[in-house]
Amino acid sequence: MSADKITILYVDDEENNLFSFKATFRIKYQVLVAISGEEALKILAAKKVHVIITDQRMPEMTGVDFLEKVLEKFPDPMRILLTGYADMNAVVDAVNKGKIFHYLAKPWNEEELDMTINRAYEKYLEKAELTDMNEKLVGSNDQLEFMLRQRLLS
């Protein structure tokens, strides 16, 4: 696998959807799949993921519940919610609780999903760059404070 591929974690309780997603996107992206939220959390603990795409309607843990847990431990990946139902409450919860990047209806359109993945990855890179710049700024600030203290003491 190429190291510069976007890594996507696709979570869905329907195996056919997992196979379909992987078959569609495996050449362009590094695709990881999970059949449950619990399995997906284990994958996130072991691998760096850039974009998470999850179905809303899953047994044991809804997509929103899963994204809330993701946000607690793995806030960096961009989050996309898919649902086959016109459930506005789920969308509102996903935005408010799961801090999703985007919402798409199932069945997904390959071109629309591909564009959404790329936009999500661009946002991921922007956030990473901002975090890096902030860390450098803190380091520079610490150095300036140290130099100022040294000058005041001498």
Side-chain angles (χ1 to χ4, degrees):
M1 289 268 159
S2 173
D4 60 347
K5 279 189 176 181
I6 299 169
T7 302
I8 300 168
L9 173 58
Y10 181 72
V11 187
D12 198 314
D13 65 314
E14 295 179 39
E15 266 189 276
N16 289 341
N17 291 342
L18 296 176
F19 291 137
S20 176
F21 184 88
K22 193 162 192 168
T24 302
F25 293 108
R26 67 181 164 72
I27 293 183
K28 188 170 184 180
Y29 306 114
Q30 181 176 1
V31 177
L32 307 171
V33 294
I35 199 148
S36 69
E38 286 300 325
E39 183 180 327
L41 290 169
K42 289 175 185 170
I43 291 171
L44 286 167
K47 300 193 183 251
K48 182 175 183 161
V49 172
H50 303 115
V51 178
I52 299 168
I53 302 169
T54 183
D55 185 26
Q56 168 58 15
R57 301 276 176 133
M58 297 185 291
E60 285 133 41
M61 186 185 310
T62 67
V64 171
D65 293 337
F66 165 66
L67 292 175
E68 278 187 274
K69 290 184 180 205
V70 166
L71 205 52
E72 291 172 13
K73 290 186 178 180
F74 314 100
D76 294 334
M78 299 306 294
R79 295 161 300 280
I80 299 169
L81 181 75
L82 290 175
T83 186
Y85 301 89
D87 185 355
M88 283 311 294
N89 288 336
V91 175
V92 170
D93 278 350
V95 170
N96 292 336
K97 296 178 181 175
K99 307 287 189 235
I100 65 165
F101 170 74
H102 202 81
Y103 160 82
L104 291 171
K106 281 172 88 177
W108 42 265
N109 170 291
E110 183 179 336
E111 188 176 316
E112 181 183 18
L113 184 52
D114 188 44
M115 287 182 351
T116 302
I117 289 168
N118 283 293
R119 284 196 334 264
Y121 184 63
E122 287 171 14
K123 192 66 157 175
Y124 174 91
L125 292 176
E126 286 174 15
K127 283 175 44 181
E129 184 179 356
L130 185 60
T131 299
D132 185 51
M133 289 170 56
N134 282 338
E135 288 171 2
K136 288 178 181 174
L137 187 59
V138 166
S140 295
N141 191 39
D142 289 345
Q143 288 177 345
L144 287 171
E145 284 182 18
F146 176 77
M147 290 168 54
L148 180 61
R149 274 190 248 115
Q150 293 297 329
R151 184 167 284 164
L152 290 173
L153 290 174
S154 51

